[in-house]
Amino acid sequence: MESILTKIKQVHDNCAAAIDKLQTNLHWTENQLEANKQEATYAAQVAAKALPKRLHCLALRLTNEYYTSSSNNKHFPYQDKLEDPKLHHYALFSDNVLAAAVVVNSTLIHAKKPADHVFHIVTDKLNYAAMRMWFLANPPVKAAIQVQKIEEFTWLNSSYSPVLKQLASQFMINYYFRTPQNKPDRNPKFRNPKYLSILNHLRFYLPEIFPKLNKVLFVDDDIVVQQDLSPLWSVDLKGRVNAAVKTCGEVFHRFDRYLNFSNPLIAKKFDRHACGWAYGMNMFDLSEWRRQNITAVYHYWQEQVSIRELFNNV
């Protein structure tokens, strides 16, 4: 009996040790899995932004060509269409030449009447010459195109736009460029420095950018158009400012996933279960925007709550 009890005790001790070891290995594996997911997310974003080696100097070559070409060849045709409210106007804010070209070309390929479409591209000073040169060398057939740089909007300054002051703050610069290695993000895409660019916030100033237009289709530079978009201009918005694709199916686009409801002001004014929408393609009624003074509402929230207090991820 003593011998049997001794063996049982040894087996029990061995099992307990094995369980402890398995739990330790499981914990280590879970940590490794989470770390690998973070690395995969970063790698996917790098790959999405990367260019083939032969295109690395594309912007530089286009810029050089723009400044060495004759000034007589630097004007786009159909400039009389730029403020015609009867035509289909697109707003595209981008610093990526190829991405902007894909949006424009894919839209016109499927357009039944290309001559009715007008593209307004806004970029930064660094990519302005390259963007203009690309569309001068590859002009859209029959469609009108306009390329502007942010610096042309002299009214857009920190005294008018609260977000400009916030984007220049030391906190925001540190947040996007000095990520602590020991504090991985839940979603690393939020630390993309592109969010420091005013191009990312320019969409809130559409009525000021297009004072003579009544409707404009805002498109991101990461879309590919696959059918004629002309019918969108016939959609009755019924007094609403914008029409967009509803994304309730995606958990992220619920307000409680990205708005900071621990802030009492946000908790009071917003429904945490309300659905957001994707910004990839939005139709804006600029007349209704002006009537409701949406830009002032945007400024109100920028002044009441800083960016770091407004969103969960900052």
Side-chain angles (χ1 to χ4, degrees):
M1 180 62 71
E2 288 179 357
S3 175
I4 292 173
L5 290 174
T6 300
K7 289 180 179 179
I8 291 173
K9 187 175 184 300
Q10 289 176 346
V11 170
H12 181 270
D13 290 343
N14 290 340
C15 285
I19 290 172
D20 289 341
K21 186 175 181 179
L22 287 173
Q23 288 178 335
T24 301
N25 287 339
L26 178 61
H27 182 67
W28 180 85
T29 303
E30 288 176 343
N31 287 340
Q32 282 295 110
L33 177 61
E34 185 61 30
N36 289 338
K37 284 182 178 179
Q38 293 286 346
E39 292 177 3
T41 302
Y42 276 113
Q45 290 184 59
V46 171
K49 294 291 183 181
L51 286 173
K53 188 174 181 179
R54 60 191 177 86
L55 296 176
H56 281 183
C57 296
L58 175 64
L60 182 61
R61 295 201 305 268
L62 288 170
T63 300
N64 181 62
E65 187 176 349
Y66 180 79
Y67 286 116
T68 56
S69 63
S70 170
S71 59
N72 296 327
N73 301 325
K74 295 181 180 178
H75 301 286
F76 293 108
Y78 311 119
Q79 293 299 284
D80 57 309
K81 296 181 179 181
L82 296 182
E83 296 181 342
D84 187 344
K86 297 178 182 178
L87 300 177
H88 305 327
H89 294 265
Y90 299 79
L92 174 58
F93 306 149
S94 173
D95 59 1
N96 189 320
V97 175
L98 286 181
V102 169
V103 175
V104 172
N105 290 345
S106 62
T107 301
L108 293 177
I109 285 173
H110 296 92
K112 294 180 179 179
K113 296 180 179 180
D116 289 347
H117 298 261
V118 182
F119 296 89
H120 303 269
I121 299 175
V122 179
T123 188
D124 54 21
K125 182 167 59 177
L126 182 64
N127 295 279
Y128 175 70
M131 191 75 75
R132 284 187 66 89
M133 191 65 235
W134 175 273
F135 287 105
L136 287 169
N138 306 276
V141 179
K142 297 183 181 180
I145 192 161
Q146 178 186 36
V147 178
Q148 296 175 282
K149 53 186 174 183
I150 301 171
E151 289 73 16
E152 294 178 33
F153 307 136
T154 54
W155 47 266
L156 188 60
N157 50 61
S158 57
S159 62
Y160 173 64
S161 173
V163 73
L164 281 176
K165 191 180 298 181
Q166 291 194 37
L167 292 177
S169 69
Q170 194 59 48
F171 169 82
M172 296 302 291
I173 294 172
N174 290 342
Y175 179 81
Y176 286 110
F177 289 101
R178 298 179 185 176
T179 307
Q181 294 299 318
N182 60 341
K183 293 183 179 179
D185 290 302
R186 287 175 298 171
N187 194 332
K189 79 174 186 177
F190 294 129
R191 287 192 184 269
N192 191 330
K194 76 174 185 179
Y195 296 120
L196 276 180
S197 170
I198 190 60
L199 280 175
N200 195 56
H201 301 266
L202 207 56
R203 66 192 70 175
F204 295 102
Y205 298 98
L206 290 173
E208 288 91 337
I209 297 172
F210 308 112
K212 296 186 178 181
L213 299 182
N214 300 321
K215 270 190 176 183
V216 65
L217 184 67
F218 175 85
V219 289
D220 268 341
D221 63 2
D222 59 353
I223 69 167
V224 178
V225 178
Q226 298 183 353
Q227 65 183 49
D228 181 33
L229 299 181
S230 300
L232 292 178
W233 273 265
S234 301
V235 174
D236 183 4
L237 301 188
K238 299 178 180 179
R240 295 178 176 85
V241 173
N242 75 317
V245 177
K246 198 173 183 179
T247 53
C248 284
E250 297 294 332
V251 177
F252 172 76
H253 287 107
R254 286 208 319 264
F255 280 9
D256 62 345
R257 293 305 298 267
Y258 55 93
L259 286 181
N260 178 20
F261 278 90
S262 64
N263 185 294
L265 186 59
I266 293 175
K268 180 181 179 181
K269 294 290 186 178
F270 293 92
D271 177 4
R272 64 174 59 246
H273 300 297
C275 294
W277 61 91
Y279 254 123
M281 186 180 70
N282 280 203
M283 174 63 74
F284 287 101
D285 185 332
L286 300 186
S287 299
E288 190 62 27
W289 183 316
R290 296 183 188 102
R291 192 186 71 79
Q292 297 189 29
N293 203 2
I294 298 299
T295 301
V297 176
Y298 171 66
H299 285 174
Y300 167 81
W301 282 102
Q302 291 294 341
E303 291 167 349
Q304 294 295 316
V305 187
S306 68
I307 292 177
R308 61 181 295 185
E309 296 173 324
L310 183 58
F311 297 105
N312 276 328
N313 52 353
V314 178

